[in-house]
Amino acid sequence: MRTVNPEKHAARRAAILGAAAEVFAERGYDGATTAAVCTRAGVGSGTLFHYFPDKRTMFLAIVTDDLDTVTTGLERIDRTDPARALDGVLDLLTADLGDPIAPGLAAAMIQLAQRDAEFGATVVAKDESTRATLAEIVAAGRESGVFESAVDPRRAARWIVALTDAGYLISDDEEFDPAEDGAELRRIVAAYLGRRAGTD
């Protein structure tokens, strides 16, 4: 019986998903085709369908893998210092802000989430885990005096996630600079939370 090399299998899967992400970003969900993904990935349709039976499954895998990355990252954040913990979450949420495919991929996600309940639930699950972590950090920061704003932690978490999501949607603007606009996003969040000076 032929055995599967797990490392090669994972590498091929990742390469296909990388190619698929580019195609979805360029063409949107509706315009993307499995044929285009095959061409971009340099694989035949038989190989593609061995990993993913259709484009929806591919797209779901892209989002699920991202969810796993975010979840793992959130678990690793040291929450003993609320200011540093907030920085860690923002680092995680803005890590791909300079990726040229990010705006198109975000738009494709919105496109599919509006009409596919299961996919929408996956996107919501990603946001909910992030919001829960942020709410805990904001609450701890308020309690310790690091954040002086009286804003409700759950509401603050919702707005912070929304702001970072918006960053991806506008990152294809020709004047967008990942470093400068990422820093501006942090200043907005700091002002919103009333982050005390000297907690950078």
Side-chain angles (χ1 to χ4, degrees):
M1 181 180 222
R2 184 179 172 186
T3 58
V4 176
N5 182 316
E7 292 180 3
K8 286 185 177 179
H9 186 273
R12 175 69 62 85
R13 178 184 182 277
I16 291 171
L17 286 183
E22 292 176 1
V23 172
F24 284 120
E26 291 170 7
R27 303 185 178 194
Y29 180 80
D30 292 335
T33 64
T34 54
V37 174
C38 286
T39 299
R40 183 69 57 93
V43 300
S45 58
T47 298
L48 178 71
F49 294 133
H50 171 73
Y51 289 87
F52 307 103
D54 51 47
K55 74 175 185 178
R56 181 185 178 280
T57 306
M58 270 190 292
F59 201 64
L60 188 59
I62 291 168
V63 175
T64 301
D65 285 2
D66 183 57
L67 171 59
D68 292 343
T69 299
V70 170
T71 300
T72 300
L74 291 173
E75 290 170 353
R76 291 178 178 168
I77 289 173
D78 180 1
R79 304 186 194 186
T80 55
D81 180 338
R84 288 188 180 177
L86 175 65
D87 289 338
V89 175
L90 291 175
D91 285 344
L92 189 63
L93 295 182
T94 60
D96 297 323
L97 207 51
D99 189 335
I101 72 168
L105 205 52
M109 285 174 59
I110 292 170
Q111 186 181 46
L112 184 59
Q114 289 176 336
R115 65 172 188 258
D116 186 319
E118 182 185 358
F119 180 77
T122 301
V123 175
V124 168
K126 175 185 173 184
D127 279 355
E128 285 182 347
S129 64
T130 305
R131 288 179 189 178
T133 299
L134 278 167
E136 290 175 15
I137 292 169
V138 172
R142 282 183 55 188
E143 188 174 331
S144 65
V146 172
F147 306 139
E148 297 175 342
S149 170
V151 66
D152 177 83
R154 289 173 299 177
R155 179 173 291 120
R158 186 181 68 207
W159 274 108
I160 293 168
V161 169
L163 283 168
T164 57
D165 287 347
Y168 285 97
L169 292 174
I170 66 168
S171 63
D172 61 345
D173 187 295
E174 61 182 31
E175 295 181 0
F176 186 88
D177 180 280
E180 289 184 11
D181 286 290
E184 182 69 13
L185 173 62
R186 289 167 187 274
R187 286 191 290 270
I188 292 169
V189 171
Y192 175 54
L193 294 179
R195 183 169 176 166
R196 200 176 64 220
T199 59
D200 297 330

